[in-house]
Amino acid sequence: MSSMKGSTRFFTIGLVTAWYSSNIGVLLLNKYLLSNYGFKYPIFLTMCHMTACSLLSYIAIVWLKMVPMQTIRSRVQFMKISALSLVFCASVVSGNISLRYLPVSFNQAIGATTPFFTAVFAYLMMFKREAWLTYVTLIPVVTGVIIASGGEPSFHLFGFIVCVGATAARALKTVLQGILLSSEGEMLNSMNLLMYMAPVAVVLLLPATLFMEENVVGITLALARDDIRIIWYLLFNSALAYFVNLTNFLVTKHTSALTLQVLGNAKGTVAVVVSILIFRNPVSVTGMLGYSLTVIGVILYSEAKKRSK
């Protein structure tokens, strides 16, 4: 019995490690490609991610049968999934664009304000009110980012606006998912939802790439002739993007929602520390204080949400 418990513990630790590594890995590799390496095509990069998610989701569900396949039952359900996919695309593309202009540490500080946007959208779209204490905990979340913005040595206004947009879109997707796919017959687990959303995302991103990032395939192939590593970077990065979703699903399945929340709060901090060590971007005391305040706010918010239930 104890060996069973031990192996389960090792499995969970392994899962969490894989989740952290893929999450932080994809973030750092995106940053490296888009700003350090000079691959200036965030829409094409996102399309590569979505193509990998489409193929690998299909293999995982249809061939490997990792989770039971759920079918789309109606045109209405497909339209809802397409709407979610559009918001999902907007959030990922905006997040990738922001990485061209902002350091990962500041990008993560802004990303930590997701609970604030989630509460706003839940109120506006579902008239869902939280306990007053929950709203109070959002004050340090937002204040922290305002302080961090003032003390950010690498502040870039366009990058900041796009990153806030990405964070808002991520929150909007969460709220929309709760509204659109809440009925018993339409609920999909995250693996199946990704399998249907990713191909729609590719279809949406293809014209955007062709229109906004002209001849990107030709440019990438020309880059590959000089440095073949770009192809391997793109393939590895795209596979990692899928593993972020896969490990997220498995961690949710094998641990509790609370554990996931705590791990998620810590993950941003780990990403910030690792990115500063790798990219050596300048940080200020004000910026770090602001980010710390945001993280404390997010932890208090999680606690307040748990208590109000």
Side-chain angles (χ1 to χ4, degrees):
M1 192 68 187
S2 63
S3 68
M4 270 285 287
K5 260 192 171 165
S7 62
T8 309
R9 189 178 299 141
F10 274 124
F11 176 70
T12 309
I13 292 168
L15 259 185
V16 171
T17 309
W19 184 53
Y20 262 55
S21 310
S22 56
N23 261 284
I24 295 168
V26 87
L27 185 67
L28 298 180
L29 197 48
N30 282 349
K31 173 66 181 168
Y32 173 73
L33 282 170
L34 292 165
S35 64
N36 297 54
Y37 189 89
F39 186 78
K40 299 182 175 65
Y41 306 103
I43 305 175
F44 179 70
L45 185 65
T46 309
M47 197 175 83
C48 291
H49 289 180
M50 294 303 161
T51 307
C53 287
S54 306
L55 294 170
L56 295 171
S57 292
Y58 187 80
I59 291 167
I61 294 173
V62 178
W63 290 358
L64 301 178
K65 301 201 176 347
M66 287 180 78
V67 290
M69 185 172 172
Q70 295 169 295
T71 51
I72 295 182
R73 302 192 173 187
S74 64
R75 185 178 290 178
V76 174
Q77 191 185 8
F78 176 71
M79 294 310 287
K80 288 177 177 179
I81 290 169
S82 301
L84 276 180
S85 191
L86 181 65
V87 178
F88 182 49
C89 276
S91 87
V92 179
V93 170
S94 306
N96 285 340
I97 291 171
S98 77
L99 282 173
R100 268 188 67 187
Y101 303 99
L102 300 178
V104 172
S105 47
F106 189 43
N107 173 284
Q108 287 294 290
I110 299 167
T113 60
T114 307
F116 167 75
F117 289 103
T118 308
V120 170
F121 286 128
Y123 179 71
L124 292 176
M125 297 167 75
M126 298 158 73
F127 307 110
K128 184 179 168 203
R129 287 193 168 178
E130 301 288 354
W132 66 271
L133 193 62
T134 311
Y135 288 122
V136 171
T137 60
L138 290 171
I139 297 169
V141 172
V142 179
T143 311
V145 168
I146 294 167
I147 294 169
S149 305
E152 176 54 55
S154 319
F155 185 84
H156 187 286
L157 184 62
F158 177 71
F160 174 75
I161 292 167
V162 174
C163 195
V164 170
T167 308
R170 202 177 311 132
L172 178 61
K173 179 188 164 277
T174 307
V175 176
L176 268 180
Q177 201 170 315
I179 298 169
L180 298 180
L181 301 176
S182 58
S183 68
E184 201 55 48
E186 290 186 335
M187 274 177 88
L188 296 171
N189 64 41
S190 60
M191 294 288 285
N192 274 277
L193 184 60
L194 183 69
M195 184 176 73
Y196 293 121
M197 267 189 352
V200 176
V202 174
V203 172
L204 292 170
L205 290 167
L206 185 62
T209 305
L210 295 172
F211 179 67
M212 295 165 83
E213 299 177 338
E214 286 177 57
N215 195 24
V216 63
V217 177
I219 294 164
T220 308
L221 292 173
L223 270 174
R225 276 196 285 275
D226 294 333
D227 181 8
I228 192 66
R229 285 180 311 174
I230 182 70
I231 299 294
W232 293 112
Y233 284 148
L234 288 172
L235 287 171
F236 181 62
N237 191 5
S238 302
L240 260 188
Y242 172 69
F243 282 105
V244 167
N245 290 286
L246 176 66
T247 51
N248 198 8
F249 173 77
L250 292 172
V251 168
T252 313
K253 192 175 161 189
H254 291 280
T255 64
S256 64
L258 178 66
T259 312
L260 193 72
Q261 222 166 24
V262 172
L263 291 170
N265 291 342
K267 188 179 75 224
T269 313
V270 175
V272 167
V273 173
V274 174
S275 79
I276 291 168
L277 291 174
I278 292 176
F279 296 114
R280 305 190 179 273
N281 55 287
V283 283
S284 64
V285 177
T286 319
M288 282 292 102
L289 282 172
Y291 179 62
S292 306
L293 183 62
T294 294
V295 171
I296 291 164
V298 171
I299 294 165
L300 292 173
Y301 170 80
S302 306
E303 277 297 305
K305 283 277 283 185
K306 200 167 79 214
R307 292 202 176 161
S308 65
K309 281 174 188 171

